[in-house]
Amino acid sequence: MARLVMKFGGTSVADIERIRNVARHVKREIGAGHEVAVVVSAMSGKTNELVAWCRDGAPLHDAREYDAVVSSGEQVTAGLLAIVLEGMGVNARSWQGWQLPILTSNAHGTARILDINGGELVKRFKERKEVAVIAGFQGMHKETGRITTLGRGGSDTSAVAVAAAIQAERCDIYTDVDGVYTTDPRVVPRAQRLPKIAYEEMLELASLGAKVMQVRSVELGMVHNVRIFVRSSFEKPEDIDPHGTPPGTLICGEEEIVEQQVVSGIAFSKDEAQISVRSVQDKPGVAAAIFGPLADANINVDMIVQNVSSDGATTDLTFTVPASDYQRATDVLAKSRGEIGYERLDRATDIAKISVIGIGMRSHAGVAAQAFKALAEKGINIRAITTSEIKFSLLIDAIYTELAVRTLHSLYDLDK
Ligand code: ADP
Ligand code: ASP
Ligand code: MG
């Protein structure tokens, strides 16, 4: 007997038929004698619809009310799955974030989980053989008692946090792909499924654009050592042996990975904007004058490049921000123009960031240089480069995204 968390994403619970399919996956594990907590997302498209309604109501709405609205999608699917399970003769009870409770910080819209009480769930596993069906994505602020949400894709984080709280053997992430691939399989059909990936690599992949797992869920998994297994919900539930090893990807500690490749995966993001601050004084304090106000406005700055000035007097500073923050960032810079003292701002929004990730890069030199050459041969210009221990990122024009990803995918031998 094992204790499992089973998480189902939006496409896996998109309608009643798919919810029935999910219930059959759950029934299979219960039949094998396991204790199960299920975490569900809203039906696919639902959260987008709810977010759009909030914007329609008022573009600058109160984040507490945003949370009251957008958390409702998961409330529906949790209740529905419990109904369907009961209809199949499986004991089940739904739980919303505030009912467990899942206590969070006060950052409405992007709250962090602080604590989960798993005691009641475990008691019910034992006493009633009851499946817990938990609404993902939502929690409750510790002090105000108001509903919070965990940021887009947050049901992954709910699932991993529940797994840590009830000390589950495994956290199964059921989704519309059967694992984590070397890159998004929807963009590169030759992408290969990885049998295992280290937490650190998954963290980079997720934060650099692969939306298969929410970044915070991987962080939590790493901290609490939760074994996360990404697998498909679209396989016929009854064809799966609950004691066997189905196709999927295990996210685990790097010591568990025997055959480590130099490059494990490629991520990309088109949600970037580039801002160049032209002709600022080349003197101490200028970077602080630019990035201080941006940080105060909670804008995440990435890929900073500063030119060496040719005249010793002025220089240019280029950086990227998420496309969603682009307008705010330029407004902030316009306001601080007096203190920064720049001549003009140049901007580009049709750009993409391509990132190559692999723990093996720690011990291999020249990995990035190969990419520069391969992209040059395709005529793709690189606008900016950043590197760190286990990854490098390149900024290019967005129209070349697919070509660049495919080129690098073959270059690093990920096609086979
Ligand atoms: P869910 O609704 O189940 O949470 P998501 O849409 O959030 O599912 O995440 C699954 C999607 O992530 C896949 O459909 C796939 O297109 C995308 N994806 C991006 N990069 C990768 C990758 N490297 N491996 C697998 N899937 C990826
Ligand atoms: N329903 C939420 C979203 O679409 C949370 C999730 O699906 O993980 O972002
Ligand atoms: Mg998701």
Side-chain angles (χ1 to χ4, degrees), residues 336-349:
S336 320
R337 184 166 187 174
E339 293 88 80
I340 305 169
Y342 57 84
E343 190 189 293
R344 64 172 201 279
L345 295 180
D346 286 338
R347 321 134 201 224
T349 45

Side-chain angles (χ1 to χ4, degrees), residues 219-239:
E219 257 166 27
L220 263 186
M222 188 152 100
V223 171
H224 295 285
N225 236 320
V226 176
R227 295 171 76 75
I228 304 169
F229 189 63
V230 181
R231 56 191 293 185
S232 168
S233 69
F234 294 139
E235 261 169 273
K236 200 162 169 252
E238 292 75 18
D239 287 350

Side-chain angles (χ1 to χ4, degrees), residues 138-395:
Q138 49 163 276
M140 176 184 102
H141 177 229
K142 207 168 99 214
E143 277 134 42
T144 60
R146 296 208 65 91
I147 295 174
T148 52
T149 62
L150 309 177
R152 298 306 305 271
S155 297
D156 296 327
T157 303
S158 310
V160 175
V162 167
I166 64 170
Q167 289 158 344
E169 255 97 308
R170 215 174 60 222
C171 179
D172 280 346
I173 304 287
Y174 287 82
T175 181
D176 56 5
V177 274
D178 62 359
V180 178
Y181 279 69
T182 46
T183 191
D184 191 340
R186 289 183 206 288
V187 173
V188 181
R190 292 164 91 173
Q192 302 291 314
R193 189 178 63 230
L194 297 159
K196 290 183 181 177
I197 184 166
Y199 292 117
E200 272 189 74
E201 291 174 317
M202 191 64 233
L203 207 53
E204 295 285 7
L205 265 182
S207 54
L208 294 166
K211 74 162 185 170
V212 58
M213 292 289 295
Q214 199 200 31
V215 178
R216 275 191 200 156
S217 71
V218 187
E219 257 166 27
L220 263 186
M222 188 152 100
V223 171
H224 295 285
N225 236 320
V226 176
R227 295 171 76 75
I228 304 169
F229 189 63
V230 181
R231 56 191 293 185
S232 168
S233 69
F234 294 139
E235 261 169 273
K236 200 162 169 252
E238 292 75 18
D239 287 350
I240 299 172
D241 172 4
H243 301 291
T245 317
T249 301
L250 182 69
I251 307 174
C252 58
E254 70 180 272
E255 64 287 347
E256 272 192 64
I257 300 174
V258 185
E259 259 188 75
Q260 187 68 60
Q261 307 296 318
V262 178
V263 169
S264 301
I266 297 174
F268 54 90
S269 156
K270 292 185 188 172
D271 303 324
E272 311 279 325
Q274 180 182 325
I275 299 176
S276 294
V277 188
R278 300 289 185 202
S279 299
V280 288
Q281 293 293 308
D282 193 9
K283 62 167 199 217
V286 168
I290 295 174
F291 297 116
L294 291 170
D296 291 342
N298 255 326
I299 295 170
N300 249 328
V301 174
D302 189 31
M303 300 194 84
I304 303 174
V305 185
Q306 179 176 346
N307 292 344
V308 177
S309 64
S310 52
D311 55 3
T314 60
T315 185
D316 296 339
L317 248 139
T318 295
F319 55 89
T320 60
V321 295
S324 53
D325 285 338
Y326 165 68
Q327 196 50 52
R328 276 200 316 128
T330 48
D331 291 350
V332 166
L333 292 174
K335 252 196 218 140
S336 320
R337 184 166 187 174
E339 293 88 80
I340 305 169
Y342 57 84
E343 190 189 293
R344 64 172 201 279
L345 295 180
D346 286 338
R347 321 134 201 224
T349 45
D350 290 335
I351 54 167
K353 182 170 65 181
I354 316 286
S355 304
V356 176
I357 295 133
I359 277 182
M361 275 188 222
R362 278 194 201 128
S363 49
H364 282 76
V367 183
Q370 286 175 287
F372 306 153
K373 182 159 175 275
L375 294 184
E377 279 165 10
K378 299 278 180 199
I380 300 173
N381 185 40
I382 301 171
R383 291 166 158 265
I385 303 167
T386 53
T387 62
S388 77
E389 208 188 12
I390 66 162
K391 67 127 207 279
F392 64 89
S393 299
L394 309 172
L395 204 63

Side-chain angles (χ1 to χ4, degrees), residues 19-21 23-24 27 83-90:
I19 291 178
R20 259 191 250 291
N21 180 65
R24 282 156 56 209
K27 188 170 182 179
I83 288 173
V84 173
L85 280 167
E86 291 263 321
M88 287 180 174
V90 177

Side-chain angles (χ1 to χ4, degrees), residues 119-131:
E120 181 64 20
L121 302 186
V122 173
K123 193 163 139 237
R124 286 167 180 246
F125 292 153
K126 302 280 177 229
E127 289 175 2
R128 310 190 195 177
K129 303 249 167 290
E130 187 178 277
V131 174

